[in-house]
Amino acid sequence: MNRSRELTTISDKVGATRDGRATVIVLSGLGGVGKTAAVLRWAHRHLDRFTEGQLYVDLKEYRRSGGVELTEVLGGFLRVLGVREDYIPAPFPERAAMFRSRTMTKRLLVVVENADQAAQVRPLIPGSADSVVLVTSRRKLGGLITEGAEFIDVSPLDVSDSEILLGRMLRGHCEPNERGVTDLAELCGGLPLALCVAGAQLAQRKQWSIPHLVRYLTDDRLRLTRLSPDGEDGVRLMFDAAYGELPDAAKRTYRLLGLHPGSQFALATAAAIVAVPAADADELIGVLLTSNLLEELGDDRYRFHDLVHLHARAVAGRDETAPAREEAVKRLIAWYARAAALADRAVMGAARWRVADFADSPDDPDFDKASAMTWFSTEQSNLLAVVHESWHHELFATVWQLCESLWAFYYNMKVYSDWLETHRLGVAAAVRCGNDIAQARMRNQFARAYIELRDFESADEQLSRGIEAASDDMRSEAVILESRGLLYRELKRYDESEESLKRARELNRRLGSERGVAIQSYQLGDVLVRAGRIDEGLRVLAEAMEIAEGIHDDLSAAKARIALGNAYHHVHRLADARSVLDSAVRTTRDHQQPVKEAQALEVLVKVAQQGNDRVLLHDSAARLVQLYEAAGSPLVAVAKGLLADESI
């Protein structure tokens, strides 16, 4: 299947004169008709045109109950474009504005698959007129005409191209011009999905004949249903035939994998759900790949076509007993829960307080921080689906335990939509379990998302209910009091923030947690400085720095120094400010914490301006330019302006 017409049309439209906007081309047609294949083939042939970047998204992976999470899509695009996580805004409008600004001068190729509304595409169009956006959809998306979009209808293959496709697959089994091939091509309606399934069966199973398959499809009453690409019934009987020819072990693998709630999975996941060693799972997956019932994505990851996934799930319902299905799903959930717990420990450290029990196993995967975050990102949509699946199977303890582990990902990557969706269930699951400590943990994590999203009313509700659940547990109470202190700080209710943080600090003292005492002291000192109580804030920040140094927590000490330097600046103690800030810059740079380094340098700029120190100003601003440019911060223009300022 060469799709030469579509490929040529794309090239012609890309080469046409534009009106100062990115080229947007929408390929629409039936599911399984070959839209994606055409887009990816064109993209592969023309990658040399887009040396500044290529962006890809399958919107199917971002569909939630409320629609497509474009906020997460934009976050992923901005990260690929080099914007550091700390500078990516949380709200959707700000992310969209940053993406358009960031792409204003770039020549990019953007591929958007499975869009079903024009509004899902508009925010993903780069600002540069040299960029190209290729969209696939089962709908026309006529609303994109306001963006100057061009439209290509991807029709089923004609008989000639269908014969070519079948001939390639059937080489050695029959002659391409054989009468039965033409009949089969006509009966398949030119749908590549149906043609591939039929051709694979004939190529792999010599006992099947073309006339047999042709007779199977000749019934006018059933043919459209059997070949319709929009629902399971269309190709169900073809898939039944493919399934029926599999060895027994591969049949079991196929139907159990159909129970996976996500669209793609890893080899290790397959081994878990089928309950076989990884080597055996690899061999069984190979059989499914050969039969065209599974697609290979690379890096030991695979996916079903949507229709095949539906068929596999239906076969599981038909051929597996209810207890067998239940056990398979529980194995899958248990695998994800343990993997998430291990990834959480790799990211946040084993010493962090957690409610869920955990014991090491020699069979555990070996995550480091980087690989753990990569795993979280790759499995994001699956993890959301597994939380829902755990709830559906009334595995309530697993629901909140998964949420506890997912904090490492959600907090660091700011995945707010999934964070909120999972933690609604996490709170309810902990209540169902009657576990007050788990409930307090869930409500606290839930509230932190609301604080960052500046939904302070919802945050306050969760913390109020969390403190009730935590009333008999000192550690839970300390955690929630800390979050309440941060909430009050954002509301500028500094007296209440001070009270909450002091209570949290005292509880950590009683628990013997010096790190907790250091953190609350740093937060408290920051609040006092913000409230204008500079001298008192200086004293508390100095204490926080000493405690952190005493337990060799360099980063907490550096954070205290940044706040301390800012306080010294306010009282014109410039030498003291420069001393602590220089130390903070060195520490944060050594620990590769560019955001914290930038915060220290930003205060150093103020110190330099206050002291008319041109050298310090130049050196600090020059380093800020480097950090901002590397992170994609919109503040880079401000830093460059400081370098150009001759007023000092």
Side-chain angles (χ1 to χ4, degrees), residues 14-59:
V14 169
T17 302
R18 307 304 299 163
D19 58 355
R21 295 186 289 185
T23 300
V24 179
I25 300 174
V26 180
L27 286 82
S28 59
L30 296 169
V33 80
K35 303 181 296 292
T36 296
V39 164
L40 296 182
R41 181 170 296 181
W42 189 92
H44 180 72
R45 289 182 180 179
H46 298 86
L47 284 181
D48 57 334
R49 295 190 184 189
F50 307 98
T51 56
E52 293 182 271
Q54 304 91 40
L55 302 173
Y56 171 87
V57 64
D58 185 347
L59 295 183

Side-chain angles (χ1 to χ4, degrees), residues 262-337:
S263 63
Q264 56 175 267
F265 53 86
L267 175 63
T269 318
I273 195 169
V274 183
V276 297
D280 293 347
D282 193 20
E283 185 173 339
L284 291 165
I285 284 175
V287 176
L288 300 181
L289 290 170
T290 301
S291 299
N292 289 326
L293 292 171
L294 205 59
E295 299 176 59
E296 187 170 16
L297 302 177
D299 297 325
D300 284 335
R301 292 194 70 81
Y302 309 91
R303 71 177 175 189
F304 282 120
H305 183 282
D306 289 350
L307 299 176
V308 182
H309 194 184
L310 288 173
H311 179 264
R313 182 177 288 269
V315 171
R318 183 189 71 195
D319 294 353
E320 289 285 346
T321 65
R325 294 195 302 272
E326 185 77 10
E327 287 304 312
V329 171
K330 286 182 177 179
R331 287 194 299 268
L332 175 72
I333 292 171
W335 184 87
Y336 270 109

